[in-house]
Amino acid sequence: MQQPRETQEIPPGCPAHGNVRMYGPSFGADPDSHYAQLRSFGHSAPVDIAPDVQAELVTSYDAALYVLQNPASFVRDSRRWNALNEGRVPADSPALPMMGYRPNALFSDGAAHARLRRAVTDSLATVNEHQLIRQTQQSANYLISQFSTDVLGQAELMAEYAQPLPLLVFSDLFGCPPEIGDRVIAGISGIFEGTPGADEVLGGALTELIALKRRRPTDDLTTRLMEHSAQLSDEEVLHQLVTLLSGGTAPLAATIGTSSALYLGEDWQVGLPVEEAISQTLWNYAPIANYAAHYPTHDIELGGRLLRANDPVLVSFAAANTDPKLTQHREQLSAKAHLAFGAGPHACPAKDPAFMIAVTAVETLLNQLPDVELRVPFKALTWAPSPWSRSLVTLPIRFSPRAVAQAAGSAGASGSSGSNAGQTPQQQTAASSPAGAGPSRAKAGFTPQPKGGLFSRFLAWTRGE
């Protein structure tokens, strides 16, 4: 493996000619130049992933696979983290919510990991593909109905579509009643936005949901986790639900937003399917950009760099996917050879449902608003300055406004009642019939909305209230 350059050859933009800073506006504006700079060190490089938080970041595709697929030498339990145990990580560090230990499959190893992961994967395997497509279409149709009658024919697709859509789908999959679903969405959204008390809101809502399913089990993901042969405790169920929410909703929102922007962008080749836009997003704009902290069980040399035992080693899925040594031969690889969903024993257990949700979300948008287009060039869009994810800040679109009755008609087009089960998004859209609608910012007509949070309003809309 390539040896790192000598200190004097390191680009001078690094703090004290040492660690590369992986946060802030400079990183967010041009992460690719940071990855190119990191590659000058070899297969991995020293970074500041947050203020006063150091880690080694793996940027090589081959080295990333080695770390991800070698659980004997690289473990996930962050209670090993030297700097944290020695009090060198600030108590309010934004790295702690991302890297701090939680009793879930993501931060477990060995038999404990196998037990928790089996419960999650087995429960996900029972999700019906056609039902998931219908849930996604129904959620998409609801959100589109809320902005598609805007008299200016404009919307901000991240906030009004890409971000809330996975939250609605997951609340439905979890079997949430309206009020609990509202708090689940408020809690997980608040965690990503850094809202004080959001952890408590989410924990309280999920605790109530689990207690409800103990009393009245139903056909949903929460109940399946609780009834699994692994016999998870209520606390373990809660933490697996949090993992599914945090690992599923934000990356899905980023995927839906970026894929929509790519498909509508000026450089998109007409005729390519939506699946290709999703695939390009996963390869070139990995939604989870830098994550998956591993801790070497002993000192290990990787590509000429010494990785110290119990010092965090992060994987740059974004840099690995765009590794120049890989891109030269990428046409020979499987379309699914990217690392956006990870690899090895901790690979995302929901990658197939996630891909399906993303494709359905983009297809439904295009079907419902056939003349939708970007209001700015793709290259002018801005990205969140986070080291953890690759997500658009905003996605401004324009379209021909729809009549109120036409916009609301989608409620029955993909409802779970059934006559359209198994149809494609195109077929279900064609089969939809007009009904009544919900408001947006400036509407051609105004229909009062039911009170309550996002999930309550969505469920009321599906019932025609």
Side-chain angles (χ1 to χ4, degrees):
M1 290 186 174
Q2 178 184 347
Q3 296 291 329
R5 293 184 180 183
E6 297 299 327
T7 302
Q8 64 267 24
E9 295 183 85
I10 297 171
C14 312
H17 295 270
N19 290 9
V20 179
R21 182 180 293 178
M22 297 292 289
Y23 58 90
S26 175
F27 172 75
D30 190 8
D32 289 335
S33 69
H34 285 68
Y35 298 139
Q37 178 179 333
L38 291 169
R39 292 188 182 105
S40 69
F41 289 82
H43 292 270
S44 67
V47 301
D48 287 341
I49 201 69
D52 299 316
V53 179
Q54 292 78 43
E56 189 79 7
L57 185 68
V58 177
T59 57
S60 155
Y61 183 90
D62 290 340
L65 275 179
Y66 177 77
V67 171
L68 294 167
Q69 296 177 340
N70 192 355
S73 297
F74 295 92
V75 297
R76 298 296 300 271
D77 190 338
S78 59
R79 290 174 294 186
R80 291 172 167 264
W81 187 358
N82 284 331
L84 183 63
N85 293 333
E86 295 165 6
R88 293 187 282 115
V89 177
D92 60 350
S93 172
L96 281 176
M98 304 301 294
M99 296 173 60
Y101 175 78
R102 297 174 188 267
N104 59 33
L106 193 63
F107 291 92
S108 302
D109 302 289
H113 168 256
R115 170 176 168 268
L116 294 173
R117 184 177 174 88
R118 186 174 66 253
V120 172
T121 54
D122 289 351
S123 299
L124 286 170
T126 65
V127 174
N128 181 276
E129 176 180 320
H130 297 304
Q131 181 183 0
L132 181 61
I133 291 175
R134 289 197 302 272
Q135 288 174 331
T136 304
Q137 289 172 326
Q138 194 170 45
S139 300
N141 288 332
Y142 166 71
L143 294 169
I144 292 169
S145 79
Q146 302 305 287
F147 64 75
S148 61
T149 55
D150 180 88
V151 294
L152 299 177
Q154 297 183 359
E156 201 293 280
L157 207 63
M158 290 303 297
E160 298 184 69
Y161 189 70
Q163 291 167 352
L165 194 154
L167 296 171
L168 291 175
V169 173
F170 273 73
S171 295
D172 205 355
L173 284 173
F174 285 5
C176 292
E179 193 272 337
I180 291 180
D182 288 342
R183 285 189 288 137
V184 166
I185 290 175
I188 192 65
S189 299
I191 288 173
F192 285 117
E193 294 165 3
T195 305
D199 266 323
E200 290 76 10
V201 171
L202 179 61
L206 291 177
T207 298
E208 286 186 33
L209 178 65
I210 292 166
L212 174 64
K213 299 304 177 181
R214 289 281 180 211
R215 298 192 303 271
R216 295 196 299 273
T218 52
D219 183 21
D220 54 63
L221 199 55
T222 305
T223 301
R224 291 177 204 131
L225 272 173
M226 296 170 68
E227 295 180 345
H228 191 270
S229 59
Q231 297 183 322
L232 273 59
S233 67
D234 285 359
E235 182 183 11
E236 288 175 326
V237 172
L238 185 150
H239 284 289
Q240 308 325 303
L241 292 177
V242 172
T243 302
L244 287 168
L245 273 174
S246 58
T249 56
L252 256 177
T255 303
I256 293 167
T258 304
S259 301
S260 299
L262 277 175
Y263 195 92
L264 299 174
E266 59 276 12
D267 294 331
W268 186 254
Q269 183 179 335
V270 176
L272 289 178
V274 165
E275 287 85 351
E276 178 62 22
I278 309 294
S279 181
Q280 286 193 26
T281 293
L282 297 174
W283 272 108
N284 300 323
Y285 305 92
I288 300 177
N290 305 287
Y291 193 52
H294 289 72
Y295 300 85
T297 57
H298 54 278
D299 290 357
I300 298 175
E301 184 177 302
L302 182 68
R305 290 189 61 82
L306 182 63
L307 309 182
R308 298 285 186 182
N310 299 324
D311 281 349
V313 177
L314 300 177
V315 176
S316 179
F317 301 107
N321 280 351
T322 55
D323 185 341
K325 294 182 180 179
L326 178 71
T327 53
Q328 295 172 10
H329 309 287
R330 212 162 81 179
E331 66 277 0
Q332 301 170 11
L333 297 174
S334 164
K336 297 181 179 179
H338 58 77
L339 298 182
F341 292 122
H346 286 275
C348 176
K351 59 183 179 181
D352 291 334
F355 193 90
M356 192 182 308
I357 291 170
V359 170
T360 303
V362 179
E363 285 184 340
T364 304
L365 175 72
L366 299 172
N367 290 332
Q368 293 282 8
L369 302 175
D371 66 347
V372 62
E373 60 183 18
L374 299 182
R375 298 208 317 261
V376 298
F378 178 83
K379 294 177 181 177
L381 296 170
T382 57
W383 301 87
S386 166
W388 314 107
S389 62
R390 180 71 161 155
S391 181
L392 291 168
V393 176
T394 60
L395 182 52
I397 60 169
R398 58 173 163 251
F399 48 85
S400 296
R402 301 196 305 179
V404 172
Q406 177 189 5
S410 303
S414 55
S416 57
S417 56
S419 63
N420 293 331
Q423 292 183 351
T424 65
Q426 293 91 334
Q427 290 169 326
Q428 291 201 15
T429 301
S432 65
S433 57
S440 184
R441 302 170 304 281
K443 301 296 185 186
F446 182 85
T447 303
Q449 282 292 297
K451 295 181 180 179
L454 175 63
F455 195 57
S456 290
R457 297 195 301 271
F458 165 65
L459 292 178
W461 179 83
T462 64
R463 296 190 296 265
E465 298 176 3

